[in-house]
Amino acid sequence: MQSIAEQDLGTPKRQSAKQVTLNVDGRQVTVPAGTSVLRAAAEAGLSIPKLCATDTLEAFGSCRMCLVQVEGMKGFPASCTTPVAEGMKVTTQNEKIANIRRGVMELYISDHPLDCLTCPANGHCELQDMAGAVGLREVRYGYSGANHLDAPKDESNPYFTFDASKCIVCSRCVRACDEQQGTLALTIQGRGFDSTVSASQAESFLESECVSCGACITACPTATLSEKSLIKAGQAEHSIITTCAYCGVGCSFRAEMQGEEVVRMVPNKDGHANHGHSCVKGRFAIGYATHPDRITKPMIRASISDPWKEVSWEEAIAHSASELRRIQKKYGRDSIGGITSSRCTNEETFLVQKLVRAGFGNNNVDTCARVCHSPTGYGLKQTIGESAGTQDFDSVMDADVIMVIGANPTDAHPVFASRLKKRLRAGARLIVVDPRRIDLVRSAHVKADHHLTLKPGTNVAVLNAMAHVVVTEGLVDEAFVRERCDLGNFESWARFVADPRHSPEATAAATGVDPHELRAAARLYATGGNAAIYYGLGVTEHSQGSTTVMAIANLAMATGNIGREGVGVNPLRGQNNVQGSCDMGSFPHEFSGYRHVSNDTARETFERLWGVPLSNEPGLRIPNMIDEAIDGSFKWLYVQGEDIAQSDPDTTHITAGLKAMECVIVQDLFLNETARYAHIFLPGASFLEKDGTFTNAERRISRVRKAIPPLAGMADWEVTMALANALGAPMRYNHPREIMDEIAATTPTFKGVSYARLDELGSIQWPCNDAAPTGTPVMHVDHFVRGKGQFMLTEYLATEERAGPRFPLLLTTGRILSQYNVGAQTRRTASTVWHHEDVLEIHPFDAEQRGVRDGDLVALASRIGEISLHASVTERVQPGVVYTTFHHAVTGANVVTTDNSDWATNCPEYKVTAVQVRRTNHFSDWQLRDREEGVSLRRMAKALADAAE
Amino acid sequence: MSARKRVTIPIRIEPGSDLPAAERAAVLEAVNRNRALEGALLPILHAIQDRLGWIPPRTLPLIAYELNLSRAEVHGVVSFYHYFRQHQPGEHVIFLCRAEACQAVGAVALEAHAKRALGVEFHGTSGDGRYTLEPVYCLGNCASGPSLMIDRELHGRMTPERFDELIGATSTSAASASGSASGSAT
């Protein structure tokens, strides 16, 4: 069922230089060539009845409702499949047409339940509307014949139902799964009267290939596919356009509301990042927002072993401020700091870093991008001059060769993956560089031309070898390099990579990649037309993360694959606002817009506006804060919306650091793992409860709009503001729009951004300034932002973390479609049906050697920690490599990961840990202690516990 | 609330390792012979049915994997064509013509007799597992109807009596290996 607020023009929009004018029912209408008569009529304000057509899918011509008459044409052509022609004269309504439509509708209704009043689609059903439009008054066939009225209902999926009795077999769901999602999990089985919709091989939706993206539900014109939440609540009465708070794709949604209750989330057709598509998380997994685990009252305690005590906001804020003053007085100005969140809005992030810089008087602010894409910021700044991806998502539709490195888009960025797969189905070639066989390597209608199965930790060697092939085989785009890049340093780079030690053959021993395959992949990338690179955390989360990012930029520059549609270097950012949190000055060394704190002009801008002197010394990064806490010099930490005790590597070290602090303030939706070590808990607000903006992986700034009031009474920006005011560093904003105005006034790349402009344009890709008043979809078009592109020498250095006799396997970690990061949200939704525990993927060879069978409990030990989890024996991983996810706190995947990190940015080396695996019959000591502490460090005062029950 | 599903990750990337050897071989051979054809699915399905007599649903994941299709797509095609069988047939398949010319010369009576003699309806298999009865619409033998085809062999001017003889003969021919009436030995 489509959104209550959207109009359906019947068939997709066509782009054409040629305009065609036709006459529909006496009205002149001009549309691009290739447009259907159905759409042309809709654009002229005429509504032709239709059932199988919808403007998100190609026309199909099966329902026979949209028949029209065209002067000079025989019979009654279907207007959805008839393209417009110059001078065409179309009649959409007359008695003959009405009779046909009514007759067809009569047939539909003869096999459809007449339970409109109790049907979930009541009030918003296309079949009902069309029956009304054609004036159906009777069904002469009766209901005694064969029919599908007793067809069973499939309720297996936790989020939606499939009620076959209401199906009119229009194929919209099947086509949505094919065209939009690209999973092709649905089909029409049988033929004629026996045709029915089937998930995979007549299976339940849950058992089938379905990935629960919801595209079929939006496409369904009846109640056949309906959200369970809609069935329960009924139709919404208003909707609010907002932006998803899960991954870096940043899909636009309409939150359909009944008063202050969200009925369902419907992807927004006008959303520039997602064009009406969604995934299981954004569309369905929002139950966490109203989960009983939400903490809605501020709480304090003197020590982490004490039970929590509820207090008023005033008391919590005053206590936070007095602790801060006490500690800063006792231990010095630099003994305190804050962590901003990539889950919070730009405005909130900006305020936290402002609080730290202006209120605390130091630069001890960092963000979770530290542990994901900080190497992207650094590596791209060094080479091409800006810490962000070069393209918009739509650019992939112009790519001829797509190279995916260290990213698993079908799980982690599903909506972008659907676009990418659409391009692959249209013929683009694909190179996958990944130690695992991700779904893109081979799945329905997708097959990588080359899969380079490298050993974890050897990205730089592989990219250098590709560059070696490009340089030594004469595949460099010399014109591009000459015009756009610094020649001197290109030449030294070319000499460097041309060295025989970088050849595919020479590096094969280290990388494990077949040299022939690598050469072929490099040639394809360099000569296959528009070549685009998409990469993820498999690139950044390494000891050479920044080097890898620079090697990627080198390769793109050398082959001229930057600065136009269809090419580029594209980091797939993990979190909804990780790009934004970096843009907003969350790093200890940078103000908003990536200006170093030692940059006098930038600093003076802020000093003038904020009226306080600012430090020109970079502050502490998260790992430094933890180290200094253990050393005894860092004592007070404000953590907004981040769970470092679960997400950061070497959990034991992190928790030791937190325990060593005198005051930890956690601001979050839930009493998360970090909150076990907190002294003050400030309740957070979900994305539904506040106004603001998120910036996605394509630099797109989109509005987050308040749909319901904050459960705890205050949005996160209001809490930070209260804290600042209590400290005597006054902040006075009446609305986040005023914070954005301050960001725009102080940040050159955001100069043209305002809420008014965002409302007008829908979304804006920065840089947005006088030169680009509507934003910048593709960057570096005529020249690099930094002037000349800089080639950087990228020497491969093997990580110190390597397999040896004690730890012979390499562990790498990742995400799965149905869960999100630390799982704080998705674990509190019905999505656990797909992934209720983290499992260890291990190759059959390694499993057999260890006597491990599929499903066994195994101990996973590294040099720093040990956990137990169930094994899943699979060829998806190569021999010597094991893989797990980190969605469940009880697993403690990061107890095993080490404190190794990227040389430039400290981004942890999550993707490579030397481990051993053995069968076990018990959980690890850490897990047992963690379970006990999970109770003992989360106790509530008696009255509170009673109230909670 | 839906039942909790185990976190399942397939052990083998390539499906079908648990298929009976004959089925796996039939699929792979059909795929390898036809893979490069445009629209290879139909010829592959025919080849599999020719070899196995049916298209076991459990082979669909392997067919889909080999052709880079979804299981749903293959299922959609298999289920669209009545000719493709999703259940194992009897040892012999009898195609009885129901087209107009045969109907004009006694096919209706023959159909009734055949159903009675075998104790099945169309698409059914006799209790002893020997015969599956299928309707067919014209075998191109209209001058000599009523027609039927047992396995690959066409028989014209069929009567109930000859039908009885024929199934008697077919019943024993496999044992005698005369090959006169049986083409099912492949």
Side-chain angles (χ1 to χ4, degrees), chain A residues 156 184-185 187 189-191 198 200-201 203 206 209 437 442-443 445-447 833 836 841 872-875, chain B residues 2-6 9-13 57 60-61 65-66 68-73 75-76 79-80 82:
Chain A
S156 61
L184 300 100
T187 188
Q189 64 182 355
R191 60 156 69 180
S198 158
S200 291
Q201 297 171 248
E203 294 154 36
L206 190 65
E209 293 153 292
R437 257 185 96 114
R442 189 163 172 174
S443 49
H445 297 268
V446 170
K447 193 174 178 189
V833 70
H836 53 83
E841 292 185 16
S872 177
V873 179
T874 175
E875 290 174 343
Chain B
S2 326
R4 180 170 272 199
K5 200 172 148 184
R6 191 183 151 232
I9 297 158
I11 295 181
R12 315 292 293 206
I13 295 290
L60 263 57
Y65 173 80
E66 288 292 336
N68 261 93
L69 299 171
S70 69
R71 292 192 288 120
E73 286 178 285
H75 173 68
S79 64
F80 180 82
H82 291 155

Side-chain angles (χ1 to χ4, degrees), chain A residues 83 106 147 167 245 290 298 386 510 516 563 688 735 757 804 879 895 898 936:
Chain A
E106 197 176 350
N147 58 54
C167 180
T290 47
E386 192 56 274
H516 296 292
L688 293 167
H735 189 273
R757 202 92 178 100
V895 171
T898 68
S936 66

Side-chain angles (χ1 to χ4, degrees), chain A residues 664-775:
Chain A
V664 174
I665 303 178
V666 167
Q667 182 174 340
D668 205 279
L669 302 181
F670 303 105
L671 214 46
N672 62 17
E673 304 310 304
T674 310
R676 291 184 192 184
Y677 310 98
H679 307 84
I680 300 171
F681 185 89
L682 304 175
S686 76
F687 77 113
L688 293 167
E689 297 159 37
K690 57 199 182 188
D691 282 299
T693 57
F694 290 152
T695 307
N696 76 353
E698 40 168 11
R699 296 169 277 106
R700 186 183 300 286
I701 307 159
S702 304
R703 273 298 311 277
V704 176
R705 290 185 180 84
K706 184 168 157 180
I708 57 179
L711 263 52
M714 282 219 257
D716 298 274
W717 61 274
E718 293 173 292
V719 177
T720 307
M721 205 164 78
L723 199 55
N725 289 332
L727 283 173
M731 291 186 188
R732 294 193 182 83
Y733 306 99
N734 297 306
H735 189 273
R737 97 165 53 86
E738 297 170 10
I739 308 174
M740 181 51 85
D741 291 342
E742 184 171 322
I743 296 165
T746 52
T747 314
T749 42
F750 279 68
K751 191 175 172 205
V753 181
S754 68
Y755 278 26
R757 202 92 178 100
L758 282 166
D759 286 343
E760 185 189 324
L761 297 172
S763 62
I764 298 174
Q765 286 176 275
W766 68 258
C768 174
N769 47 32
D770 297 341
T774 56

